[in-house]
Amino acid sequence: MIILSSLLMREAARTRVLSHRWRKLWKHFTGSLDFDASDTLRLIAHLEVDRVTEARRYRDWVDQVVVSHEGSSFKGLRIAFVLGKSNVAALNKWLYLAIVKRVQRLELDLSSADGGVGCTDSSFTFPSWLLHLNFLDFTSFDRLTSLCLKSISITEDDLAYFLSKCSLLEQLTVENAAYL
């Protein structure tokens, strides 16, 4: 497990071909789950691939990895793709899992490859209800040290929650946020 935790997510997943014993070991990966699709975003920006089709592929990729993760925690979660309201349920599920897995670094970047607002079918609004979930031994995002929200709608009250309840929060980045 120490070896896997020092690898990038894609590298850890590739270790499953090493042997029968390693096949499912990567599912206990404790590093950062980084779903970077910047190459695909550049192709979308140049109209070389269809955004809706690629968004579906991206959603399926993230779902496959996140849902199959069997470890008790992971250090970070980075979602970086143009996702709109057709993917709200998936985004909410990933955020819920980030809480349950007690993520330390969370980045939601729904902007396009050129840094602009990417959601053409309405922007994603951060789900306030996730902030008020209380578990037996912790509150939502209690281990959060870094939060980056790009092209996400969020209210002042929700930002106030992060600032007041996340005592370990060291870095907060908010870009292209509606309602602020």
Side-chain angles (χ1 to χ4, degrees), residues 18-123:
L18 294 176
S19 74
H20 179 69
R21 294 178 72 192
W22 282 71
R23 190 166 294 144
K24 293 185 180 182
L25 195 57
W26 77 273
K27 292 181 179 184
H28 298 276
F29 178 69
T30 59
S32 290
L33 301 179
D34 186 353
F35 298 99
D36 179 17
S38 54
D39 292 338
T40 304
L41 286 172
R42 281 190 284 282
L43 292 174
I44 290 170
H46 291 88
L47 302 174
E48 295 178 32
V49 295
D50 179 55
R51 185 185 72 80
V52 174
T53 302
E54 294 303 318
R56 192 176 317 112
R57 283 185 187 157
Y58 182 86
R59 183 191 64 223
D60 293 346
W61 171 43
V62 175
D63 262 348
Q64 180 183 9
V65 174
V66 170
V67 171
S68 66
H69 187 269
E70 296 175 3
S72 61
S73 67
F74 47 81
K75 288 186 176 109
L77 176 62
R78 180 172 181 247
I79 304 296
F81 199 78
V82 181
L83 295 170
K85 71 178 177 183
S86 59
N87 293 292
V88 167
L91 284 160
N92 286 343
K93 177 172 58 174
W94 303 335
L95 286 170
Y96 177 79
L97 199 74
I99 293 170
V100 171
K101 301 287 184 163
R102 302 182 85 175
V103 70
Q104 295 171 8
R105 292 181 311 274
L106 177 62
E107 180 178 345
L108 294 177
D109 182 356
L110 304 185
S111 58
S112 61
D114 60 5
V117 178
C119 300
T120 57
D121 61 344
S122 175
S123 66

Side-chain angles (χ1 to χ4, degrees), residues 131-175:
L131 300 177
H132 305 291
L133 295 176
N134 288 315
F135 298 89
L136 293 175
D137 59 344
F138 67 94
T139 58
S140 298
F141 297 112
D142 68 332
R143 291 191 181 168
L144 197 64
T145 60
S146 176
L147 176 64
C148 179
L149 303 174
K150 296 181 181 179
S151 298
I152 307 239
S153 299
I154 188 164
T155 65
E156 287 183 33
D157 289 343
D158 291 345
L159 277 180
Y161 173 90
F162 284 110
L163 292 171
S164 66
K165 299 289 185 181
C166 300
S167 60
L168 301 176
L169 190 64
E170 298 172 357
Q171 180 181 7
L172 174 64
T173 304
V174 179
E175 296 178 10

